[in-house]
Amino acid sequence: RLAYEFSKYGAVLSLSARKEDQLKKLCGSLNRSGGQAKYYPLDVSKIEQIEAAYKKVSLVSRIGIYKRT
């Protein structure tokens, strides 16, 4: 699981997929294990969902990329 490896090294994760229930489960697991993860349901066949996810993730990246201490 790549998300767990990134989390292990302090990455703050933004995850996207169509199945929101699976995203919630994965983010919950990552956060409980000490990581930081947020999720954004996304169906790439729907342009409005792509744009909304991009705006949310772009806002986070403009605030700053940081490593947990």
Side-chain angles (χ1 to χ4, degrees), residues 49-65:
Q49 289 185 16
I50 295 169
E51 290 170 345
Y54 173 78
K55 287 177 185 175
K56 290 175 186 174
V57 173
S58 292
L59 177 62
V60 171
S61 68
R62 275 185 252 138
I63 292 169
I65 297 173

Side-chain angles (χ1 to χ4, degrees), residues 19-67:
K19 297 182 179 179
E20 186 172 1
D21 57 330
Q22 291 178 1
L23 281 172
K24 279 184 183 180
K25 186 176 178 179
L26 176 57
C27 282
S29 177
L30 288 164
N31 291 332
R32 283 189 300 279
S33 68
Q36 292 182 14
K38 291 190 176 201
Y39 68 92
Y40 304 95
L42 173 64
D43 181 342
V44 296
S45 70
K46 298 181 179 174
I47 190 70
E48 66 277 0
Q49 289 185 16
I50 295 169
E51 290 170 345
Y54 173 78
K55 287 177 185 175
K56 290 175 186 174
V57 173
S58 292
L59 177 62
V60 171
S61 68
R62 275 185 252 138
I63 292 169
I65 297 173
Y66 61 93
K67 183 176 178 180

